[in-house]
Amino acid sequence: HFKKIAQCEPDLPVMLYNIPGRCGINMSAETTVRLATDVENIISIKEASGNFEQFAEIRRFTPRDTFHMYAGDDSLTLPLLALGGTGIVSVASHFIGNEIAKMIDLYHKGDVEGAMEIHFKYSHLFRDLFVMPNPIPAKAALRMQGWSVGPCRLPLCAPTPAVEKLLHDLLKDLKLL
C-alpha cells in the first residue's frame, strides 16, 4: 500500500504511519525497513506501536541521515529520542508546541535533565488527551481555549462530562486556559 502510494508521486516525500491502535494491525519492523530502503521517497515514519524494541530495530537497520523516525505518542517522545528518534507527530503540540520543541532541543543539546523537567511537567496532558479516543479530548480542550474546531465525526461522540471536567482542571493547572 505505502509503496504504491509513494510510487504514484515519486517527487513527494512520504511518511509511513504505524498506528496499530487505530488500524488494528502493526506494521512490522521488517516491513518498515524494507520500505525505507527500497523506496527512495519514503523518508520517515510515525511509529506509534509503543514497542521500544521495534523502534530500535527499525532505527538499527535504516540510515539515520535519510530516514527519520517520529514518536507517535507524546509520552514516548523523550525516551524514543534516546533510540535515535527525530521528534514527534504530536497531539499535545496543539497546546504546548513550543515546550515540546524546547524539550527535543534540550535533549539534543545534552540537557537531559531539562528535557525531563518538561516531559514530567506535561506528562498528565500527554496521558489525558487520550482518556477517550483521539480526537475527542483534543477537540474538547481546544474548544475550552476558544478554538472553533467543530464536533467529532461519527462514530466518535462528544466527551463525557467527567472528561470535560478532567481536561478543564488539567488545562487550568497547566495555565493553558
Side-chain angles (χ1 to χ4, degrees), residues 17-55:
Y17 266 53
N18 185 31
I19 312 172
R22 287 241 174 180
C23 302
I25 188 167
N26 178 55
M27 184 165 44
S28 70
E30 179 183 295
T31 298
T32 301
V33 170
R34 191 172 64 250
L35 288 167
T37 55
D38 291 353
V39 184
E40 188 175 320
N41 62 322
I42 292 180
I43 62 158
S44 60
I45 186 168
K46 173 184 178 177
E47 175 54 61
S49 68
N51 182 331
F52 289 102
E53 188 175 322
Q54 176 166 307
F55 193 95

PDB file of all heavy atoms in Angstrom, residues 17-55:
ATOM      1  N   TYR A  17       2.913   5.681   8.400  1.00  0.00           N
ATOM      2  CA  TYR A  17       2.199   5.771   9.663  1.00  0.00           C
ATOM      3  C   TYR A  17       1.993   4.356  10.180  1.00  0.00           C
ATOM      4  O   TYR A  17       1.376   3.537   9.502  1.00  0.00           O
ATOM      5  CB  TYR A  17       0.838   6.457   9.471  1.00  0.00           C
ATOM      6  CG  TYR A  17       0.836   7.941   9.721  1.00  0.00           C
ATOM      7  CD1 TYR A  17       1.743   8.782   9.087  1.00  0.00           C
ATOM      8  CD2 TYR A  17      -0.074   8.505  10.591  1.00  0.00           C
ATOM      9  CE1 TYR A  17       1.729  10.147   9.317  1.00  0.00           C
ATOM     10  CE2 TYR A  17      -0.097   9.871  10.817  1.00  0.00           C
ATOM     11  CZ  TYR A  17       0.805  10.676  10.188  1.00  0.00           C
ATOM     12  OH  TYR A  17       0.790  12.034  10.417  1.00  0.00           O
ATOM     13  N   ASN A  18       2.499   4.082  11.370  1.00  0.00           N
ATOM     14  CA  ASN A  18       2.233   2.808  12.029  1.00  0.00           C
ATOM     15  C   ASN A  18       1.505   3.107  13.325  1.00  0.00           C
ATOM     16  O   ASN A  18       2.119   3.506  14.315  1.00  0.00           O
ATOM     17  CB  ASN A  18       3.529   2.037  12.303  1.00  0.00           C
ATOM     18  CG  ASN A  18       3.221   0.666  12.872  1.00  0.00           C
ATOM     19  OD1 ASN A  18       2.186   0.071  12.564  1.00  0.00           O
ATOM     20  ND2 ASN A  18       4.107   0.156  13.699  1.00  0.00           N
ATOM     21  N   ILE A  19       0.203   2.948  13.286  1.00  0.00           N
ATOM     22  CA  ILE A  19      -0.648   3.254  14.443  1.00  0.00           C
ATOM     23  C   ILE A  19      -1.565   2.055  14.674  1.00  0.00           C
ATOM     24  O   ILE A  19      -2.747   2.064  14.306  1.00  0.00           O
ATOM     25  CB  ILE A  19      -1.472   4.543  14.200  1.00  0.00           C
ATOM     26  CG1 ILE A  19      -0.568   5.663  13.682  1.00  0.00           C
ATOM     27  CG2 ILE A  19      -2.178   4.974  15.484  1.00  0.00           C
ATOM     28  CD1 ILE A  19      -1.302   6.904  13.240  1.00  0.00           C
ATOM     29  N   PRO A  20      -1.027   0.988  15.275  1.00  0.00           N
ATOM     30  CA  PRO A  20      -1.811  -0.226  15.449  1.00  0.00           C
ATOM     31  C   PRO A  20      -3.107  -0.017  16.235  1.00  0.00           C
ATOM     32  O   PRO A  20      -4.112  -0.682  15.964  1.00  0.00           O
ATOM     33  CB  PRO A  20      -0.878  -1.170  16.203  1.00  0.00           C
ATOM     34  CG  PRO A  20       0.483  -0.611  16.033  1.00  0.00           C
ATOM     35  CD  PRO A  20       0.333   0.849  15.774  1.00  0.00           C
ATOM     36  N   GLY A  21      -3.104   0.912  17.171  1.00  0.00           N
ATOM     37  CA  GLY A  21      -4.304   1.179  17.959  1.00  0.00           C
ATOM     38  C   GLY A  21      -5.457   1.709  17.128  1.00  0.00           C
ATOM     39  O   GLY A  21      -6.618   1.561  17.497  1.00  0.00           O
ATOM     40  N   ARG A  22      -5.160   2.331  16.024  1.00  0.00           N
ATOM     41  CA  ARG A  22      -6.180   2.846  15.108  1.00  0.00           C
ATOM     42  C   ARG A  22      -6.506   1.862  14.002  1.00  0.00           C
ATOM     43  O   ARG A  22      -7.621   1.785  13.539  1.00  0.00           O
ATOM     44  CB  ARG A  22      -5.697   4.136  14.463  1.00  0.00           C
ATOM     45  CG  ARG A  22      -5.694   5.280  15.391  1.00  0.00           C
ATOM     46  CD  ARG A  22      -6.625   6.301  14.853  1.00  0.00           C
ATOM     47  NE  ARG A  22      -6.708   7.327  15.863  1.00  0.00           N
ATOM     48  CZ  ARG A  22      -7.426   8.369  15.755  1.00  0.00           C
ATOM     49  NH1 ARG A  22      -8.116   8.578  14.670  1.00  0.00           N
ATOM     50  NH2 ARG A  22      -7.477   9.233  16.717  1.00  0.00           N
ATOM     51  N   CYS A  23      -5.475   1.177  13.518  1.00  0.00           N
ATOM     52  CA  CYS A  23      -5.624   0.320  12.329  1.00  0.00           C
ATOM     53  C   CYS A  23      -5.964  -1.115  12.682  1.00  0.00           C
ATOM     54  O   CYS A  23      -6.462  -1.851  11.831  1.00  0.00           O
ATOM     55  CB  CYS A  23      -4.339   0.328  11.510  1.00  0.00           C
ATOM     56  SG  CYS A  23      -3.851   1.960  10.973  1.00  0.00           S
ATOM     57  N   GLY A  24      -5.639  -1.527  13.898  1.00  0.00           N
ATOM     58  CA  GLY A  24      -5.889  -2.902  14.293  1.00  0.00           C
ATOM     59  C   GLY A  24      -4.794  -3.861  13.859  1.00  0.00           C
ATOM     60  O   GLY A  24      -4.907  -5.066  14.072  1.00  0.00           O
ATOM     61  N   ILE A  25      -3.741  -3.344  13.232  1.00  0.00           N
ATOM     62  CA  ILE A  25      -2.626  -4.187  12.796  1.00  0.00           C
ATOM     63  C   ILE A  25      -1.332  -3.386  12.923  1.00  0.00           C
ATOM     64  O   ILE A  25      -1.317  -2.182  12.687  1.00  0.00           O
ATOM     65  CB  ILE A  25      -2.837  -4.696  11.352  1.00  0.00           C
ATOM     66  CG1 ILE A  25      -1.776  -5.732  10.981  1.00  0.00           C
ATOM     67  CG2 ILE A  25      -2.849  -3.551  10.361  1.00  0.00           C
ATOM     68  CD1 ILE A  25      -2.099  -6.502   9.715  1.00  0.00           C
ATOM     69  N   ASN A  26      -0.271  -4.083  13.300  1.00  0.00           N
ATOM     70  CA  ASN A  26       1.035  -3.460  13.443  1.00  0.00           C
ATOM     71  C   ASN A  26       1.847  -3.682  12.171  1.00  0.00           C
ATOM     72  O   ASN A  26       1.857  -4.778  11.619  1.00  0.00           O
ATOM     73  CB  ASN A  26       1.772  -4.084  14.636  1.00  0.00           C
ATOM     74  CG  ASN A  26       3.152  -3.514  14.820  1.00  0.00           C
ATOM     75  OD1 ASN A  26       3.328  -2.307  14.931  1.00  0.00           O
ATOM     76  ND2 ASN A  26       4.146  -4.376  14.851  1.00  0.00           N
ATOM     77  N   MET A  27       2.524  -2.643  11.704  1.00  0.00           N
ATOM     78  CA  MET A  27       3.460  -2.796  10.601  1.00  0.00           C
ATOM     79  C   MET A  27       4.788  -3.239  11.217  1.00  0.00           C
ATOM     80  O   MET A  27       5.360  -2.531  12.053  1.00  0.00           O
ATOM     81  CB  MET A  27       3.629  -1.473   9.838  1.00  0.00           C
ATOM     82  CG  MET A  27       4.506  -1.603   8.628  1.00  0.00           C
ATOM     83  SD  MET A  27       4.401  -0.230   7.455  1.00  0.00           S
ATOM     84  CE  MET A  27       4.438   1.204   8.500  1.00  0.00           C
ATOM     85  N   SER A  28       5.272  -4.378  10.823  1.00  0.00           N
ATOM     86  CA  SER A  28       6.474  -4.944  11.430  1.00  0.00           C
ATOM     87  C   SER A  28       7.701  -4.087  11.140  1.00  0.00           C
ATOM     88  O   SER A  28       7.747  -3.334  10.159  1.00  0.00           O
ATOM     89  CB  SER A  28       6.715  -6.361  10.907  1.00  0.00           C
ATOM     90  OG  SER A  28       7.119  -6.315   9.547  1.00  0.00           O
ATOM     91  N   ALA A  29       8.708  -4.268  11.972  1.00  0.00           N
ATOM     92  CA  ALA A  29       9.982  -3.581  11.744  1.00  0.00           C
ATOM     93  C   ALA A  29      10.560  -3.998  10.394  1.00  0.00           C
ATOM     94  O   ALA A  29      11.081  -3.165   9.651  1.00  0.00           O
ATOM     95  CB  ALA A  29      10.958  -3.905  12.876  1.00  0.00           C
ATOM     96  N   GLU A  30      10.436  -5.264  10.061  1.00  0.00           N
ATOM     97  CA  GLU A  30      10.963  -5.761   8.785  1.00  0.00           C
ATOM     98  C   GLU A  30      10.314  -5.053   7.598  1.00  0.00           C
ATOM     99  O   GLU A  30      10.998  -4.649   6.652  1.00  0.00           O
ATOM    100  CB  GLU A  30      10.716  -7.268   8.698  1.00  0.00           C
ATOM    101  CG  GLU A  30      11.204  -7.892   7.407  1.00  0.00           C
ATOM    102  CD  GLU A  30      10.877  -9.377   7.350  1.00  0.00           C
ATOM    103  OE1 GLU A  30      11.428 -10.127   8.175  1.00  0.00           O
ATOM    104  OE2 GLU A  30      10.074  -9.758   6.481  1.00  0.00           O
ATOM    105  N   THR A  31       9.009  -4.880   7.644  1.00  0.00           N
ATOM    106  CA  THR A  31       8.301  -4.186   6.552  1.00  0.00           C
ATOM    107  C   THR A  31       8.739  -2.737   6.467  1.00  0.00           C
ATOM    108  O   THR A  31       9.004  -2.208   5.383  1.00  0.00           O
ATOM    109  CB  THR A  31       6.773  -4.279   6.758  1.00  0.00           C
ATOM    110  OG1 THR A  31       6.401  -5.657   6.717  1.00  0.00           O
ATOM    111  CG2 THR A  31       6.017  -3.498   5.700  1.00  0.00           C
ATOM    112  N   THR A  32       8.838  -2.082   7.607  1.00  0.00           N
ATOM    113  CA  THR A  32       9.258  -0.675   7.627  1.00  0.00           C
ATOM    114  C   THR A  32      10.657  -0.515   7.051  1.00  0.00           C
ATOM    115  O   THR A  32      10.902   0.369   6.228  1.00  0.00           O
ATOM    116  CB  THR A  32       9.194  -0.119   9.062  1.00  0.00           C
ATOM    117  OG1 THR A  32       7.861  -0.237   9.554  1.00  0.00           O
ATOM    118  CG2 THR A  32       9.632   1.326   9.111  1.00  0.00           C
ATOM    119  N   VAL A  33      11.573  -1.370   7.467  1.00  0.00           N
ATOM    120  CA  VAL A  33      12.951  -1.300   6.975  1.00  0.00           C
ATOM    121  C   VAL A  33      12.982  -1.528   5.462  1.00  0.00           C
ATOM    122  O   VAL A  33      13.670  -0.807   4.733  1.00  0.00           O
ATOM    123  CB  VAL A  33      13.854  -2.311   7.720  1.00  0.00           C
ATOM    124  CG1 VAL A  33      15.218  -2.431   7.050  1.00  0.00           C
ATOM    125  CG2 VAL A  33      14.002  -1.912   9.186  1.00  0.00           C
ATOM    126  N   ARG A  34      12.223  -2.497   5.004  1.00  0.00           N
ATOM    127  CA  ARG A  34      12.208  -2.776   3.561  1.00  0.00           C
ATOM    128  C   ARG A  34      11.685  -1.580   2.783  1.00  0.00           C
ATOM    129  O   ARG A  34      12.265  -1.173   1.777  1.00  0.00           O
ATOM    130  CB  ARG A  34      11.365  -4.022   3.269  1.00  0.00           C
ATOM    131  CG  ARG A  34      11.523  -4.514   1.841  1.00  0.00           C
ATOM    132  CD  ARG A  34      10.845  -5.854   1.581  1.00  0.00           C
ATOM    133  NE  ARG A  34       9.404  -5.787   1.738  1.00  0.00           N
ATOM    134  CZ  ARG A  34       8.724  -6.363   2.739  1.00  0.00           C
ATOM    135  NH1 ARG A  34       9.356  -7.049   3.672  1.00  0.00           N
ATOM    136  NH2 ARG A  34       7.419  -6.251   2.807  1.00  0.00           N
ATOM    137  N   LEU A  35      10.597  -0.977   3.234  1.00  0.00           N
ATOM    138  CA  LEU A  35      10.057   0.204   2.560  1.00  0.00           C
ATOM    139  C   LEU A  35      11.052   1.370   2.602  1.00  0.00           C
ATOM    140  O   LEU A  35      11.252   2.063   1.601  1.00  0.00           O
ATOM    141  CB  LEU A  35       8.730   0.625   3.193  1.00  0.00           C
ATOM    142  CG  LEU A  35       7.546  -0.286   2.897  1.00  0.00           C
ATOM    143  CD1 LEU A  35       6.384   0.043   3.831  1.00  0.00           C
ATOM    144  CD2 LEU A  35       7.114  -0.173   1.445  1.00  0.00           C
ATOM    145  N   ALA A  36      11.668   1.565   3.745  1.00  0.00           N
ATOM    146  CA  ALA A  36      12.609   2.685   3.911  1.00  0.00           C
ATOM    147  C   ALA A  36      13.846   2.532   3.038  1.00  0.00           C
ATOM    148  O   ALA A  36      14.425   3.534   2.602  1.00  0.00           O
ATOM    149  CB  ALA A  36      13.014   2.812   5.376  1.00  0.00           C
ATOM    150  N   THR A  37      14.243   1.325   2.788  1.00  0.00           N
ATOM    151  CA  THR A  37      15.451   1.111   1.996  1.00  0.00           C
ATOM    152  C   THR A  37      15.156   0.914   0.505  1.00  0.00           C
ATOM    153  O   THR A  37      15.999   1.234  -0.331  1.00  0.00           O
ATOM    154  CB  THR A  37      16.263  -0.094   2.527  1.00  0.00           C
ATOM    155  OG1 THR A  37      15.429  -1.245   2.579  1.00  0.00           O
ATOM    156  CG2 THR A  37      16.821   0.205   3.900  1.00  0.00           C
ATOM    157  N   ASP A  38      13.958   0.433   0.172  1.00  0.00           N
ATOM    158  CA  ASP A  38      13.629   0.141  -1.227  1.00  0.00           C
ATOM    159  C   ASP A  38      12.949   1.289  -1.969  1.00  0.00           C
ATOM    160  O   ASP A  38      12.978   1.318  -3.199  1.00  0.00           O
ATOM    161  CB  ASP A  38      12.712  -1.087  -1.334  1.00  0.00           C
ATOM    162  CG  ASP A  38      13.409  -2.380  -0.955  1.00  0.00           C
ATOM    163  OD1 ASP A  38      14.631  -2.358  -0.731  1.00  0.00           O
ATOM    164  OD2 ASP A  38      12.716  -3.413  -0.866  1.00  0.00           O
ATOM    165  N   VAL A  39      12.308   2.201  -1.236  1.00  0.00           N
ATOM    166  CA  VAL A  39      11.532   3.264  -1.883  1.00  0.00           C
ATOM    167  C   VAL A  39      12.146   4.601  -1.501  1.00  0.00           C
ATOM    168  O   VAL A  39      12.062   5.024  -0.347  1.00  0.00           O
ATOM    169  CB  VAL A  39      10.033   3.187  -1.490  1.00  0.00           C
ATOM    170  CG1 VAL A  39       9.238   4.230  -2.257  1.00  0.00           C
ATOM    171  CG2 VAL A  39       9.469   1.785  -1.736  1.00  0.00           C
ATOM    172  N   GLU A  40      12.747   5.256  -2.474  1.00  0.00           N
ATOM    173  CA  GLU A  40      13.566   6.442  -2.221  1.00  0.00           C
ATOM    174  C   GLU A  40      12.805   7.580  -1.534  1.00  0.00           C
ATOM    175  O   GLU A  40      13.359   8.275  -0.689  1.00  0.00           O
ATOM    176  CB  GLU A  40      14.143   6.944  -3.546  1.00  0.00           C
ATOM    177  CG  GLU A  40      15.158   8.041  -3.375  1.00  0.00           C
ATOM    178  CD  GLU A  40      15.793   8.432  -4.694  1.00  0.00           C
ATOM    179  OE1 GLU A  40      16.083   7.539  -5.505  1.00  0.00           O
ATOM    180  OE2 GLU A  40      15.993   9.636  -4.897  1.00  0.00           O
ATOM    181  N   ASN A  41      11.540   7.781  -1.891  1.00  0.00           N
ATOM    182  CA  ASN A  41      10.817   8.929  -1.327  1.00  0.00           C
ATOM    183  C   ASN A  41      10.072   8.597  -0.033  1.00  0.00           C
ATOM    184  O   ASN A  41       9.384   9.449   0.522  1.00  0.00           O
ATOM    185  CB  ASN A  41       9.891   9.571  -2.362  1.00  0.00           C
ATOM    186  CG  ASN A  41       8.806   8.656  -2.877  1.00  0.00           C
ATOM    187  OD1 ASN A  41       9.020   7.465  -3.086  1.00  0.00           O
ATOM    188  ND2 ASN A  41       7.632   9.220  -3.113  1.00  0.00           N
ATOM    189  N   ILE A  42      10.219   7.392   0.488  1.00  0.00           N
ATOM    190  CA  ILE A  42       9.734   7.100   1.842  1.00  0.00           C
ATOM    191  C   ILE A  42      10.858   7.506   2.777  1.00  0.00           C
ATOM    192  O   ILE A  42      11.910   6.869   2.832  1.00  0.00           O
ATOM    193  CB  ILE A  42       9.337   5.624   2.004  1.00  0.00           C
ATOM    194  CG1 ILE A  42       8.095   5.340   1.150  1.00  0.00           C
ATOM    195  CG2 ILE A  42       9.093   5.305   3.481  1.00  0.00           C
ATOM    196  CD1 ILE A  42       7.587   3.921   1.223  1.00  0.00           C
ATOM    197  N   ILE A  43      10.629   8.622   3.482  1.00  0.00           N
ATOM    198  CA  ILE A  43      11.721   9.259   4.225  1.00  0.00           C
ATOM    199  C   ILE A  43      11.535   9.278   5.745  1.00  0.00           C
ATOM    200  O   ILE A  43      12.425   9.719   6.465  1.00  0.00           O
ATOM    201  CB  ILE A  43      11.926  10.709   3.737  1.00  0.00           C
ATOM    202  CG1 ILE A  43      10.670  11.541   4.001  1.00  0.00           C
ATOM    203  CG2 ILE A  43      12.313  10.739   2.273  1.00  0.00           C
ATOM    204  CD1 ILE A  43      10.929  13.017   4.058  1.00  0.00           C
ATOM    205  N   SER A  44      10.359   8.802   6.227  1.00  0.00           N
ATOM    206  CA  SER A  44      10.135   8.884   7.671  1.00  0.00           C
ATOM    207  C   SER A  44       8.981   7.979   8.074  1.00  0.00           C
ATOM    208  O   SER A  44       8.252   7.454   7.236  1.00  0.00           O
ATOM    209  CB  SER A  44       9.851  10.329   8.094  1.00  0.00           C
ATOM    210  OG  SER A  44       8.691  10.814   7.438  1.00  0.00           O
ATOM    211  N   ILE A  45       8.834   7.835   9.391  1.00  0.00           N
ATOM    212  CA  ILE A  45       7.725   7.072   9.946  1.00  0.00           C
ATOM    213  C   ILE A  45       7.222   7.736  11.210  1.00  0.00           C
ATOM    214  O   ILE A  45       8.007   8.270  12.002  1.00  0.00           O
ATOM    215  CB  ILE A  45       8.125   5.604  10.252  1.00  0.00           C
ATOM    216  CG1 ILE A  45       6.889   4.802  10.699  1.00  0.00           C
ATOM    217  CG2 ILE A  45       9.254   5.528  11.271  1.00  0.00           C
ATOM    218  CD1 ILE A  45       7.117   3.296  10.748  1.00  0.00           C
ATOM    219  N   LYS A  46       5.910   7.714  11.381  1.00  0.00           N
ATOM    220  CA  LYS A  46       5.283   7.990  12.677  1.00  0.00           C
ATOM    221  C   LYS A  46       5.077   6.610  13.288  1.00  0.00           C
ATOM    222  O   LYS A  46       4.255   5.832  12.824  1.00  0.00           O
ATOM    223  CB  LYS A  46       3.943   8.707  12.527  1.00  0.00           C
ATOM    224  CG  LYS A  46       3.203   8.853  13.855  1.00  0.00           C
ATOM    225  CD  LYS A  46       1.830   9.473  13.690  1.00  0.00           C
ATOM    226  CE  LYS A  46       1.111   9.549  15.028  1.00  0.00           C
ATOM    227  NZ  LYS A  46      -0.194  10.213  14.904  1.00  0.00           N
ATOM    228  N   GLU A  47       5.870   6.290  14.300  1.00  0.00           N
ATOM    229  CA  GLU A  47       5.869   4.965  14.909  1.00  0.00           C
ATOM    230  C   GLU A  47       5.115   5.027  16.234  1.00  0.00           C
ATOM    231  O   GLU A  47       5.606   5.577  17.212  1.00  0.00           O
ATOM    232  CB  GLU A  47       7.303   4.481  15.112  1.00  0.00           C
ATOM    233  CG  GLU A  47       7.455   3.174  15.832  1.00  0.00           C
ATOM    234  CD  GLU A  47       6.652   2.039  15.222  1.00  0.00           C
ATOM    235  OE1 GLU A  47       6.880   1.690  14.046  1.00  0.00           O
ATOM    236  OE2 GLU A  47       5.791   1.488  15.940  1.00  0.00           O
ATOM    237  N   ALA A  48       3.887   4.494  16.218  1.00  0.00           N
ATOM    238  CA  ALA A  48       3.023   4.565  17.402  1.00  0.00           C
ATOM    239  C   ALA A  48       2.655   3.181  17.923  1.00  0.00           C
ATOM    240  O   ALA A  48       1.595   2.993  18.497  1.00  0.00           O
ATOM    241  CB  ALA A  48       1.758   5.365  17.076  1.00  0.00           C
ATOM    242  N   SER A  49       3.565   2.227  17.728  1.00  0.00           N
ATOM    243  CA  SER A  49       3.298   0.884  18.248  1.00  0.00           C
ATOM    244  C   SER A  49       3.486   0.828  19.758  1.00  0.00           C
ATOM    245  O   SER A  49       2.954  -0.067  20.422  1.00  0.00           O
ATOM    246  CB  SER A  49       4.203  -0.155  17.576  1.00  0.00           C
ATOM    247  OG  SER A  49       5.552   0.038  17.959  1.00  0.00           O
ATOM    248  N   GLY A  50       4.264   1.760  20.298  1.00  0.00           N
ATOM    249  CA  GLY A  50       4.578   1.726  21.727  1.00  0.00           C
ATOM    250  C   GLY A  50       5.609   0.664  22.071  1.00  0.00           C
ATOM    251  O   GLY A  50       5.863   0.402  23.241  1.00  0.00           O
ATOM    252  N   ASN A  51       6.202   0.068  21.051  1.00  0.00           N
ATOM    253  CA  ASN A  51       7.139  -1.034  21.236  1.00  0.00           C
ATOM    254  C   ASN A  51       8.566  -0.513  21.038  1.00  0.00           C
ATOM    255  O   ASN A  51       8.990  -0.287  19.909  1.00  0.00           O
ATOM    256  CB  ASN A  51       6.798  -2.136  20.226  1.00  0.00           C
ATOM    257  CG  ASN A  51       7.672  -3.358  20.362  1.00  0.00           C
ATOM    258  OD1 ASN A  51       8.817  -3.289  20.770  1.00  0.00           O
ATOM    259  ND2 ASN A  51       7.115  -4.503  19.989  1.00  0.00           N
ATOM    260  N   PHE A  52       9.292  -0.352  22.140  1.00  0.00           N
ATOM    261  CA  PHE A  52      10.648   0.178  22.078  1.00  0.00           C
ATOM    262  C   PHE A  52      11.580  -0.730  21.277  1.00  0.00           C
ATOM    263  O   PHE A  52      12.450  -0.259  20.551  1.00  0.00           O
ATOM    264  CB  PHE A  52      11.229   0.383  23.484  1.00  0.00           C
ATOM    265  CG  PHE A  52      10.611   1.520  24.227  1.00  0.00           C
ATOM    266  CD1 PHE A  52       9.664   1.295  25.209  1.00  0.00           C
ATOM    267  CD2 PHE A  52      10.979   2.825  23.944  1.00  0.00           C
ATOM    268  CE1 PHE A  52       9.088   2.358  25.887  1.00  0.00           C
ATOM    269  CE2 PHE A  52      10.416   3.895  24.626  1.00  0.00           C
ATOM    270  CZ  PHE A  52       9.458   3.653  25.600  1.00  0.00           C
ATOM    271  N   GLU A  53      11.409  -2.020  21.417  1.00  0.00           N
ATOM    272  CA  GLU A  53      12.249  -2.967  20.685  1.00  0.00           C
ATOM    273  C   GLU A  53      12.047  -2.814  19.179  1.00  0.00           C
ATOM    274  O   GLU A  53      13.009  -2.819  18.404  1.00  0.00           O
ATOM    275  CB  GLU A  53      11.927  -4.395  21.129  1.00  0.00           C
ATOM    276  CG  GLU A  53      12.869  -5.427  20.562  1.00  0.00           C
ATOM    277  CD  GLU A  53      12.586  -6.810  21.115  1.00  0.00           C
ATOM    278  OE1 GLU A  53      12.267  -6.936  22.313  1.00  0.00           O
ATOM    279  OE2 GLU A  53      12.697  -7.765  20.336  1.00  0.00           O
ATOM    280  N   GLN A  54      10.800  -2.656  18.754  1.00  0.00           N
ATOM    281  CA  GLN A  54      10.514  -2.464  17.332  1.00  0.00           C
ATOM    282  C   GLN A  54      11.124  -1.160  16.828  1.00  0.00           C
ATOM    283  O   GLN A  54      11.729  -1.109  15.758  1.00  0.00           O
ATOM    284  CB  GLN A  54       9.008  -2.474  17.091  1.00  0.00           C
ATOM    285  CG  GLN A  54       8.637  -2.188  15.643  1.00  0.00           C
ATOM    286  CD  GLN A  54       7.198  -2.527  15.344  1.00  0.00           C
ATOM    287  OE1 GLN A  54       6.748  -3.625  15.600  1.00  0.00           O
ATOM    288  NE2 GLN A  54       6.474  -1.552  14.792  1.00  0.00           N
ATOM    289  N   PHE A  55      10.962  -0.086  17.595  1.00  0.00           N
ATOM    290  CA  PHE A  55      11.537   1.204  17.221  1.00  0.00           C
ATOM    291  C   PHE A  55      13.055   1.071  17.046  1.00  0.00           C
ATOM    292  O   PHE A  55      13.627   1.523  16.054  1.00  0.00           O
ATOM    293  CB  PHE A  55      11.203   2.247  18.295  1.00  0.00           C
ATOM    294  CG  PHE A  55      11.472   3.661  17.895  1.00  0.00           C
ATOM    295  CD1 PHE A  55      10.469   4.455  17.374  1.00  0.00           C
ATOM    296  CD2 PHE A  55      12.726   4.231  18.046  1.00  0.00           C
ATOM    297  CE1 PHE A  55      10.696   5.780  17.010  1.00  0.00           C
ATOM    298  CE2 PHE A  55      12.977   5.548  17.693  1.00  0.00           C
ATOM    299  CZ  PHE A  55      11.955   6.320  17.170  1.00  0.00           C
TER     300      PHE A  55
END
